[in-house]
Amino acid sequence: MIRPLCLALTLALGAIASAHATDAPLSTVAERSGFLKTGRYDEVIALCAAFQKTYPDAVRCIDFGRTPEGRPMKALIVSRSGALTAKQASDRGLPVLLIQGGIHAGEIDGKDAGFLALREALESKAAKGALEKQVLIFVPVFNIDGHERFGKWNRPNQRGPEEMGWRTTAQNYNLNRDYVKADAPEMQAMLRLVNQWDPLAYIDLHVTDGAKFQHDVAIQVEPVNSGDPEFRRDGLALRSAVIADLSAQGSRPVAFYPSFNVGDDPSSGFTDGVATPRFSTGYFQLRNRMAMLVETHSWKDYPTRVRITHNTIVSLLNQVATHGASWLKDAHAADARAMTLGGKNVALDYVASDKVRDIDFLGYEYTRTLSDISGALMTRYDESKPQVWHVGLRDDIHPGTQVIAPEAGYIVPAAHAAWVGEKLRLHGISFRAITGPLHKADVETYRANKTDISGQSVEGHQRVNAQGSWKPEQREIGAGALFVPIAQAKARLVMTLLEPQSGDSLVAWGEFNNAFEQKEYMEDYVAEDVAREQLAADPALAAEFKQKLASDPGFAKSPAARLQFFARRHSSWDERYNLYPVLRTATAPR
C-alpha cells in the first residue's frame, strides 16, 4: 500500500502546482514546471515582497544581511497572532519556529517546499490555525551566492531539479560547518537573526548524499542525546511526532543519518551520533533550543523530495502550535538550570558505544565487484528489486570528553579582548570588561604539553589539538580583560568556545595558534654553554639528564630535545610558550 500512496501524494502535489500555475505572484518556477525546475534568487526576492503585499497583516518581508557578493538575505516573518516583531513575540510568550532552506544551495528542496507550505498555511489549507499560535521565520535560501552559481551537474549524486546551486558560498565556506566559528558574513547575519528572535526550534533542510535505498527522509533532532537532560524529552517528542506524521503520509523516515560505517558497503551498518557544534543540530542544544536536520534522500526525484519536505514543514507547524507553549516553558527552565553548571561535569562531545542492535533497513538488491577503473570494490544497486537489509545500528550514545566547568567563569586577557568579545557577541553570550588590573589573581591556566597542528587547511583554518590540563596558578591580569561568567543560559556554548579540549573551540579552530609557536630561541652553541653551566652547578639536574638519556631513546637521539632540556630551565625561556591565553577563575573579579 505504501508505494501507491506515495504516488498518489506526488500526483496531488502536481495538482496543487496546476491549480496555482496562473497565480504567478505566489507560485514558484518549481510549481509551474511540475517540480522539474527551481527558480533563481530573484524569484525569492519577488515572492518575499508578494507574500507581504498579499497578506499585510500576517507577513513581513525583511532583509537580515547581505552576502559577500552584495545580495540581500531575505526572510519572511509570518504569524496570524498579530506578533510580527521579536519584541511582540517575546511579550506574548509565542514560540518562534525558524525554517531555513538552501544552506547547501544545491539541496534546494526547502525553498520550493517552504513557499508552497507557507501559502497553504496562510490560505488555511494546511496547518489550519497553526499560525495563530506561533511566529514562523522562513529563510528560503541561506547560501544565496552559492544558489546563484547555477548549473546542471552541481549535484551529480542527486535526481533533480534540472539545475541547482552550489554547496559552498562565494568565499568557499561550507555554512553547515560554521555555526560556532562564524567566519562567513552569512553565518554572522544568521546568528544576529537568531539572537534577535530566539527561536524555540531551528529547522535545517537538506538532501542526503550516499547510497541508494528505499527510505526517503532522515529526521534528526537535538536535544535527544545531548544537551540539557530534562529538555531532551521535548526533543524526542518533536522527532517522534514528525516521524509519525510522515509515516502516516506514506514516507519511510529514519531517525539517524543513513551513512554506512564503511565506505559504500551496506553490510557494515550504521552509527548514530550527535553532530559537533559546527553543525546546526550540534549547535542549538548548547543554547537550550531545538534543532532538526531534515535530509530527504538524494535519489528520490525532485517532486517526491519537495512533497516530503512540504509535509515535514506542515507537521512542524502543527506540532509547534500544539506543544510550542509547553516546550518554550521547558526551554526557559533549561536556561535556568544551565546557569548552575559552575563546578559541575559538562560533556563537550558525545560518542556511540560499541553496543550494536540489529535493524531491518529497506534497501535494494546490490552487488559488490572489483572495478577495473578504480581497482576498488564498487557497489551497484538494482532499484527494481527491493530488499530488506539486516544490519547493525550503533545508537547507544554517551558523553565523550567531559570537563568540570569553572566555578565562576573565564578571563580573556586584554590582548585578545576585542576579537574574542566580537565572537561572544555573535553568539549572544554575556560578558563584561574588567576595568582595573588584578595582581596575583588566583586562576587556572592551561598549558599544552603536546600540540598537533594540522597540515591540511579546514575551512580556511589550521586546526590544532592542544593536549594539556588546567592547573592552579597566580597571574597578573591587566585592565581591559573580559570576564565571561559561567552562570548564564548559554553556559554550554561558553564552554564549547573557550575549553581547549572542545573540538569546536577557538583553540581547536586555530584561533590561538600563535600561543603554540616558539618565537624566541637560544642558538645551539649558546645552549651548549648553558647546559654545561647547569650540569656543573646542579648535580640533581645532571642525574636527571643522565636518567632521561638512558630511558628515552627518542630524547637521546634528538640534539634539539637534548638542548631544549636545558633551555627550558634558563631564565630566557618564554614562560608563555604553549600557554593558552584564556584563564579560568573560581571567583568573579570585582
Side-chain angles (χ1 to χ4, degrees):
M1 290 296 293
I2 293 177
R3 283 185 177 275
L5 180 57
C6 288
L7 177 60
L9 288 168
T10 301
L11 292 173
L13 191 64
I16 293 170
S18 298
H20 288 274
T22 59
D23 187 12
L26 298 183
S27 67
T28 62
V29 167
E31 292 177 83
R32 295 192 295 275
S33 70
F35 296 94
L36 299 177
K37 303 177 185 290
T38 192
R40 302 295 292 267
Y41 193 68
D42 57 359
E43 176 186 58
V44 171
I45 296 173
L47 281 173
C48 191
F51 268 92
Q52 177 174 302
K53 182 178 180 181
T54 305
Y55 299 100
D57 297 330
V59 179
R60 291 289 179 272
C61 174
I62 67 166
D63 289 5
F64 66 96
R66 294 196 82 81
T67 71
E69 291 185 339
R71 296 182 176 92
M73 299 182 71
K74 293 288 186 180
L76 291 87
I77 314 299
V78 187
S79 182
R80 290 287 193 187
S81 69
L84 292 173
T85 68
K87 185 177 186 304
Q88 289 170 340
S90 177
D91 289 348
R92 300 184 192 188
L94 287 173
V96 176
L97 174 65
L98 195 158
I99 298 179
Q100 162 239 292
I103 189 171
H104 295 153
E107 306 165 24
I108 203 58
D109 310 14
K111 176 190 68 174
D112 293 322
F115 276 124
L116 176 59
L118 175 58
R119 189 182 67 226
E120 290 179 348
L122 287 166
E123 294 173 349
S124 296
K125 293 180 179 178
K128 189 173 183 179
L131 291 175
E132 298 171 3
K133 299 177 181 179
Q134 66 191 294
V135 176
L136 168 65
I137 302 175
F138 176 44
V139 178
V141 182
F142 187 4
N143 176 16
I144 297 159
D145 291 343
H147 184 278
E148 291 306 277
R149 188 178 169 183
F150 224 57
K152 287 188 176 182
W153 291 104
N154 287 348
R155 290 277 293 167
N157 309 310
Q158 177 178 301
R159 287 179 176 146
E162 291 178 357
E163 295 179 284
M164 70 285 289
W166 191 254
R167 183 178 183 83
T168 56
T169 70
Q171 297 175 329
N172 209 33
Y173 283 117
N174 183 339
L175 290 176
N176 203 29
R177 306 295 185 274
D178 200 37
Y179 280 90
V180 172
K181 61 186 179 64
D183 288 330
E186 295 95 330
M187 183 58 72
Q188 294 168 14
M190 178 62 78
L191 290 175
R192 293 186 184 103
L193 182 70
V194 165
N195 290 337
Q196 179 185 5
W197 284 91
D198 189 21
L200 168 67
Y202 184 99
I203 315 303
D204 192 0
L205 304 175
H206 286 252
V207 181
T208 66
D209 290 302
K212 295 180 180 180
F213 42 73
Q214 299 174 59
H215 294 281
D216 49 21
V217 64
I219 302 292
Q220 292 179 276
V221 173
E222 291 297 338
V224 169
N225 296 301
S226 64
D228 182 86
E230 294 186 39
F231 195 39
R232 296 178 194 183
R233 293 193 295 265
D234 292 346
L236 180 59
L238 174 63
R239 187 184 75 179
S240 299
V242 171
I243 285 177
D245 285 347
L246 292 175
S247 297
Q249 293 168 311
S251 281
R252 292 163 167 170
V254 293
F256 58 90
Y257 191 90
S259 179
F260 300 135
N261 289 328
V262 178
D264 195 21
D265 182 0
S267 68
S268 65
F270 306 97
T271 298
D272 197 6
V274 175
T276 58
R278 71 193 70 172
F279 298 89
S280 60
T281 42
Y283 176 77
F284 280 90
Q285 53 91 3
L286 301 174
R287 302 176 68 119
N288 306 310
R289 300 298 182 263
M290 301 179 186
M292 176 183 286
L293 176 66
V294 180
E295 293 268 5
T296 55
H297 186 218
S298 61
W299 292 109
K300 303 301 182 285
D301 62 26
Y302 196 53
T304 299
R305 299 202 317 270
V306 171
R307 169 181 57 77
I308 294 166
T309 305
H310 160 275
N311 292 346
T312 303
I313 293 170
V314 172
S315 174
L316 285 161
L317 288 169
N318 284 326
Q319 296 304 325
V320 172
T322 302
H323 304 289
S326 173
W327 290 342
L328 186 59
K329 182 179 177 180
D330 292 345
H332 291 157
D335 289 344
R337 288 189 292 273
M339 296 185 70
T340 70
L341 285 176
K344 297 179 181 177
N345 209 24
V346 176
L348 298 179
D349 54 45
Y350 296 82
V351 295
S353 74
D354 292 333
K355 183 178 179 181
V356 180
R357 66 183 180 93
D358 295 329
I359 64 169
D360 291 339
F361 191 85
L362 303 178
Y364 297 108
E365 288 189 13
Y366 66 92
T367 59
R368 282 176 59 76
T369 56
L370 193 66
S371 169
D372 58 354
I373 302 296
S374 68
L377 282 174
M378 286 289 113
T379 304
R380 298 286 183 268
Y381 300 92
D382 186 343
E383 294 177 85
S384 69
K385 298 178 180 178
Q387 184 180 70
V388 177
W389 297 341
H390 305 291
V391 295
L393 171 64
R394 294 171 54 211
D395 61 353
D396 180 43
I397 298 170
H398 299 279
T401 305
Q402 299 181 72
V403 172
I404 301 294
E407 293 283 353
Y410 299 86
I411 295 175
V412 180
H416 297 276
W419 74 266
V420 173
E422 181 55 33
K423 289 287 185 184
L424 298 175
R425 287 188 194 94
L426 277 172
H427 293 286
I429 290 171
S430 299
F431 63 92
R432 61 177 172 84
I434 300 172
T435 56
L438 303 176
H439 301 293
K440 293 184 178 180
D442 291 317
V443 295
E444 290 180 280
T445 59
Y446 188 97
R447 293 180 183 273
N449 52 45
K450 182 180 179 182
T451 57
D452 180 15
I453 298 178
S454 171
Q456 173 65 47
S457 175
V458 179
E459 290 292 305
H461 291 257
Q462 304 302 128
R463 285 179 55 81
V464 62
N465 178 16
Q467 300 177 29
S469 59
W470 292 102
K471 294 180 180 178
E473 190 175 329
Q474 286 189 332
R475 303 291 297 185
E476 296 294 315
I477 299 170
L482 306 179
F483 172 61
V484 187
I486 198 68
Q488 57 180 298
K490 298 183 182 72
R492 289 183 177 86
L493 182 53
V494 170
M495 294 184 69
T496 291
L497 285 163
L498 298 181
E499 281 294 332
Q501 296 178 68
S502 161
D504 277 327
S505 66
L506 297 177
V507 167
W509 278 109
E511 300 286 9
F512 286 102
N513 278 4
N514 265 346
F516 310 117
E517 299 172 7
Q518 188 176 359
K519 301 299 176 86
E520 188 56 271
Y521 61 94
M522 185 181 290
E523 296 285 0
D524 288 355
Y525 66 87
V526 177
E528 284 274 351
D529 292 341
V530 166
R532 297 185 189 282
E533 291 173 3
Q534 291 179 357
L535 288 170
D538 189 345
L541 180 65
E544 182 183 348
F545 180 62
K546 183 177 180 181
Q547 191 277 333
K548 192 166 181 65
L549 286 173
S551 63
D552 188 340
F555 174 80
K557 293 177 181 178
S558 171
R562 290 168 66 156
L563 290 176
Q564 193 177 90
F565 177 90
F566 299 100
R568 284 178 175 273
R569 289 161 172 79
H570 193 264
S571 60
S572 66
W573 181 257
D574 181 9
E575 67 89 20
R576 295 186 185 181
Y577 175 47
N578 281 337
L579 174 66
Y580 172 41
V582 176
L583 311 170
R584 291 169 34 133
T585 179
T587 305
R590 295 180 181 273

